[in-house]
Amino acid sequence: MTETASANDTQNGANYERHGFQAEVAKLLHMMVHSVYSEREIFLRELISNASDACDKLRYESLTQPNLLDDGGKTFAIDIVADAKAGTLTVTDNGVGMSKQELIENLGTIARSGTSAFVSKLTGDAKKDVSQIGQFGVGFYSVFMVADRVSVTSRRAGQDDTWVWESEGTGEFSLHGGERPARGTTITLHIKDDAKEFLEKARLSTIVKTYSNHIPVAITLKIDDGEAEQVNSGSALWTRSKSDITDDQYKEFYHHVAHAFDDPALTLHYRAEGTLEYSVLLFVPTRRPMDLYDPARKSRVKLFVKRVFITDDCEAVLPPYLRFLRGVIDSQDLPLNISREMLQNNPVLAKMRKAVTNRVLTELEKKAESDADGFATIWEAFGPVIKEGIYEDFERRDQILKLARFRSTTQDGWTTLADYITRMKPDQKAIYTITGDNLDAARRSPHLEGFKAKGVEVLLLSDPVDDFWLTSVPEFDGKPLKSVTRGGSDLADLAGGDDSKTDADKKDPAPAGLDALIAALKDHLKDAIKDVRTTDRLTDSPVCLVADDGDMDMHIARILQQSKQLGAMSPRILELNPKHALVKALAARAEQGGALDALSDAAHLLHDQALILEGESLSDPAEFSRRLTAVMTQAFG
């Protein structure tokens, strides 16, 4: 992740190790330092949040290792000292501290699980990109917006060694041994000339009270040689009454607990009393957290017991399909000495999880009813994740289905399954769906042509999760869900569109030679297809592929094959549009002498065309090119 020089530089008797930042880290630092950021003050909020987290972590570790508190005291504190003469601002905590390796991992890399993917999202628009950086929680590095040099002196609780991390925010950082009397971390910022305001008492005090007043650790402020004064209230926000908390305070607590820069789209704050007692303060973000699609699917809600931080990495707190939530759950009933392993099968936590999950879904329903636009924003960001609950949470499946929103072929914006049913044709018996890699691909599918012609609405499903929940939901409100890419299309039973024409118009005779064409296609394509038949689902395209009624849907089969979870796909049915000019011309050719050999290239080209329309790659592009050239030469030669 980082490059360590073999240098043995010596300064003031200390051996320095020089490390190069990841190239991605250097790019981000340059962007933050040289971009215009309208709220540079957030650097202090991020440092205080990190210090608070360090105290929380030590409070938890001390439950099983009480001796960790012997070095540095049992009362946690965050101290801010401004020295105008030296031009420095220091933030000190007596939390868990960092070892040498932790300094390298935490301060030498950014987004370790996917830095390259993260950087690829940046566009070069300075303000926009810095905001994007904030979205991904790169909090510590904001210090370089106000400082031209930063040093971090840290001693891990339970260890004797102290390490000093230093950087000027350019291409490298150094590490060397140092001295610190007790556990914790001190961050020293050498303030830039244009940021001297951050050494003033009034400015610093305002920042702390604005952003960090809620942090349940005493924050003191000392200016030069003056007295240290506590500047925050030091009370846990979630323990206070809703009526005593302003919207701005909720927002700043969200920024703290989520390490986010956006504002919450929904805030849920309540206290449960009775058999179980616990406090809940949860937020639905506006933007997707960076780890939303991490394969681990971990919850990031912080679990406290009697205001003691336990963990923010616990599967038992909330189901994986609500992992986008940020905030705090504080229990009065769990034992303080509970371990992370014990949490997985704890009956008290299981009851809390059930109750909180029900409350979250209920609040989302209320949001959908009272603020359709606001809920649409939430669904746009987190709908693909919430839909995981349709096949994972059988108990709440119907509730999530009612909550779910979809795009469709006839409606602008989002629609629900219930609203779809109100628009069904009088003789329509099923809810029709189509899945695709994206909305545009789904909309372009030839399978929709007949449904569009008859004005029949089809739901467009483009999230990977859609293929999976559809297999576990046979119907909604008594109406079966049916993919338009499967065998029987039911179009003949639906009125509308072409049905308004006269009987003479509707009963076009099959073109001469159609049976011979079908026989020729079967002979040439052999095992590549399951069957060949005509269809009424097509109006503009000559052919398409469909899955037989008993086979797996084509899109999910392709997803499983791409992920190596499925071998060769089952052959599909090739359907022909008997009204298409190309099919008519081929049928006419099928009646002539030597038709079987003459139709060989055309048969394979029709099959390849159908594969391309499904978004699949061809097994032999070179042979496709040869056949296409041969047919075009024959046509124009």
Side-chain angles (χ1 to χ4, degrees):
M1 301 296 292
T2 55
E3 298 177 359
T4 305
S6 58
N8 293 313
D9 297 346
T10 302
Q11 298 183 26
N12 300 326
N15 288 328
Y16 278 66
E17 293 181 4
R18 298 199 177 276
H19 299 247
F21 281 118
Q22 290 175 308
E24 293 89 349
V25 176
K27 177 180 177 180
L28 292 177
L29 291 180
H30 177 84
M31 191 177 298
M32 296 189 78
V33 171
H34 295 280
S35 298
V36 178
Y37 200 94
S38 60
E39 297 179 359
R40 293 203 295 177
E41 65 205 39
I42 57 90
F43 82 91
L44 187 56
R45 181 190 76 186
E46 291 303 310
L47 293 184
I48 293 173
S49 291
N50 290 341
S52 175
D53 288 346
C55 295
D56 282 341
K57 290 174 183 176
L58 180 57
R59 187 183 283 115
Y60 172 76
E61 290 188 13
S62 68
L63 295 177
T64 54
Q65 304 177 70
N67 59 301
L68 293 179
L69 296 178
D70 295 341
D71 175 25
K74 297 182 179 181
T75 301
F76 295 104
I78 301 172
D79 301 319
I80 304 172
V81 178
D83 188 333
K85 185 176 181 180
T88 60
L89 180 70
T90 62
V91 179
T92 301
D93 68 75
N94 61 341
V96 71
M98 289 177 281
S99 64
K100 175 184 177 182
Q101 188 58 35
E102 287 171 329
L103 281 168
I104 294 175
E105 292 177 352
N106 295 337
L107 305 185
T109 62
I110 292 178
R112 282 171 289 164
S113 62
T115 305
S116 297
F118 165 61
V119 172
S120 70
K121 296 179 181 293
L122 303 181
T123 64
D125 182 328
K127 282 191 175 182
K128 178 180 176 182
D129 285 345
V130 172
S131 177
Q132 182 88 336
I133 292 169
Q135 174 189 349
F136 286 91
V138 192
F140 170 78
Y141 300 95
S142 60
V143 296
F144 291 106
M145 294 188 294
V146 300
D148 51 25
R149 183 160 60 92
V150 177
S151 66
V152 180
T153 303
S154 195
R155 177 173 164 182
R156 188 64 160 82
Q159 297 183 7
D160 296 328
D161 295 337
T162 296
W163 290 93
V164 180
W165 180 100
E166 291 182 316
S167 178
E168 296 180 355
T170 52
E172 64 179 20
F173 62 91
S174 65
L175 269 177
H176 63 86
E179 294 184 359
R180 182 181 168 85
R183 67 164 196 265
T185 300
T186 296
I187 300 176
T188 302
L189 282 63
H190 295 264
I191 301 298
K192 296 178 180 178
D193 290 338
D194 65 350
K196 296 299 184 183
E197 63 186 279
F198 298 110
L199 297 176
E200 299 171 1
K201 180 178 180 179
R203 186 77 167 99
L204 294 171
S205 179
T206 299
I207 294 172
V208 174
K209 290 178 179 178
T210 300
Y211 294 114
S212 308
N213 199 45
H214 54 271
I215 289 180
V217 176
I219 303 174
T220 63
L221 175 62
K222 180 181 178 181
I223 305 297
D224 299 326
D225 296 325
E227 291 284 329
E229 302 176 9
Q230 182 169 337
V231 286
N232 70 320
S233 64
S235 64
L237 193 75
W238 62 89
T239 64
R240 293 162 53 186
S241 171
K242 291 172 62 175
S243 59
D244 296 334
I245 305 172
T246 66
D247 289 343
D248 286 340
Q249 288 173 322
Y250 275 129
K251 288 178 183 178
E252 290 315 320
F253 182 76
Y254 164 71
H255 293 156
H256 160 70
V257 76
H259 289 279
F261 285 65
D262 61 325
D263 289 337
L266 180 65
T267 300
L268 175 60
H269 185 196
Y270 70 96
R271 179 176 177 81
E273 297 179 334
T275 306
L276 294 178
E277 292 189 13
Y278 55 90
S279 298
V280 175
L281 179 49
L282 297 176
F283 303 92
V284 177
T286 300
R287 297 174 178 173
R288 293 174 178 172
M290 183 180 65
D291 60 355
L292 185 65
Y293 294 113
D294 189 300
R297 303 169 72 223
K298 294 180 179 179
S299 170
R300 296 302 180 191
V301 170
K302 294 179 181 289
L303 176 64
F304 284 72
V305 175
K306 300 179 179 66
R307 291 182 56 179
V308 175
F309 173 75
I310 302 299
T311 182
D312 61 356
D313 178 12
C314 176
E315 296 177 4
V317 174
L318 284 171
Y321 66 87
L322 294 179
R323 62 185 177 274
F324 56 88
L325 291 170
R326 296 295 187 263
V328 170
I329 298 177
D330 189 353
S331 171
Q332 300 298 309
D333 300 295
L334 289 168
L336 270 173
N337 62 349
I338 193 167
S339 67
R340 287 183 173 90
E341 291 73 23
M342 293 168 60
L343 286 170
Q344 302 307 313
N345 300 304
N346 186 276
V348 172
L349 191 58
K351 292 178 181 178
M352 284 174 48
R353 168 182 165 133
K354 180 177 181 179
V356 174
T357 300
N358 289 338
R359 184 66 177 264
V360 169
L361 293 179
T362 298
E363 292 298 321
L364 287 173
E365 288 176 340
K366 292 179 180 178
K367 180 73 170 178
E369 293 173 1
S370 63
D371 181 9
D373 291 340
F375 182 76
T377 298
I378 294 174
W379 190 260
E380 192 82 45
F382 306 114
V385 173
I386 297 174
K387 283 188 288 187
E388 293 173 9
I390 297 175
Y391 68 88
E392 290 183 341
D393 193 342
F394 180 80
E395 181 181 351
R396 301 175 184 85
R397 175 179 297 171
D398 291 342
Q399 187 177 10
I400 301 173
L401 277 172
K402 292 177 182 178
L403 195 64
R405 299 296 192 265
F406 306 94
R407 303 289 188 185
S408 91
T409 55
T410 64
Q411 303 298 307
D412 293 329
W414 297 100
T415 187
T416 65
L417 291 174
D419 288 340
Y420 177 99
I421 290 175
T422 65
R423 297 188 295 269
M424 287 173 60
K425 297 287 185 181
D427 47 2
Q428 182 179 343
K429 298 180 177 63
I431 298 171
Y432 293 106
T433 66
I434 185 170
T435 56
D437 294 331
N438 53 65
L439 279 176
D440 288 339
R443 284 195 176 99
R444 291 194 302 265
S445 173
H447 298 94
L448 296 176
E449 293 173 3
F451 291 87
K452 289 179 180 178
K454 291 189 177 247
V456 178
E457 183 175 2
V458 180
L459 297 180
L460 305 170
L461 310 179
S462 58
D463 296 319
V465 67
D466 291 326
D467 291 285
F468 295 95
W469 71 259
L470 281 170
T471 62
S472 63
V473 181
E475 57 88 25
F476 176 81
D477 199 18
K479 305 293 184 182
L481 275 72
K482 188 167 184 178
S483 171
V484 299
T485 64
R486 288 193 177 277
S489 67
D490 303 335
L491 279 171
D493 300 328
L494 296 172
D498 289 342
D499 288 283
S500 61
K501 299 179 181 179
T502 65
D503 289 342
D505 290 330
K506 290 187 289 183
K507 296 179 180 178
D508 288 338
L514 185 60
D515 290 340
L517 173 63
I518 290 175
L521 293 177
K522 289 181 178 179
D523 184 77
H524 286 300
L525 296 177
K526 295 184 173 59
D527 295 337
I529 50 142
K530 191 171 188 177
D531 195 9
V532 180
R533 67 192 183 197
T534 60
T535 183
D536 57 359
R537 79 174 73 235
L538 299 174
T539 60
D540 300 321
S541 301
V543 292
C544 70
L545 288 168
V546 298
D548 205 356
D549 279 337
D551 291 341
M552 184 182 297
D553 185 83
M554 294 189 298
H555 189 248
I556 190 173
R558 186 163 70 248
I559 290 176
L560 292 175
Q561 188 182 51
Q562 290 171 349
S563 61
K564 310 300 183 184
Q565 299 181 54
L566 183 70
M569 287 190 285
S570 300
R572 291 86 169 270
I573 298 170
L574 182 69
E575 292 192 341
L576 304 178
N577 177 4
K579 298 180 181 180
H580 196 280
L582 176 59
V583 175
K584 290 180 179 179
L586 291 173
R589 182 67 182 87
E591 287 193 310
Q592 301 174 11
L596 188 62
D597 292 337
L599 290 174
S600 174
D601 285 340
H604 286 93
L605 285 174
L606 281 175
H607 184 245
D608 287 344
Q609 181 182 358
L611 287 171
I612 291 171
L613 287 172
E614 288 302 316
E616 297 190 18
S617 57
L618 302 179
S619 59
D620 192 344
E623 188 62 14
F624 169 77
S625 178
R626 184 200 66 75
R627 290 184 181 121
L628 184 61
T629 301
V631 169
M632 292 179 68
T633 300
Q634 183 178 3
F636 297 104

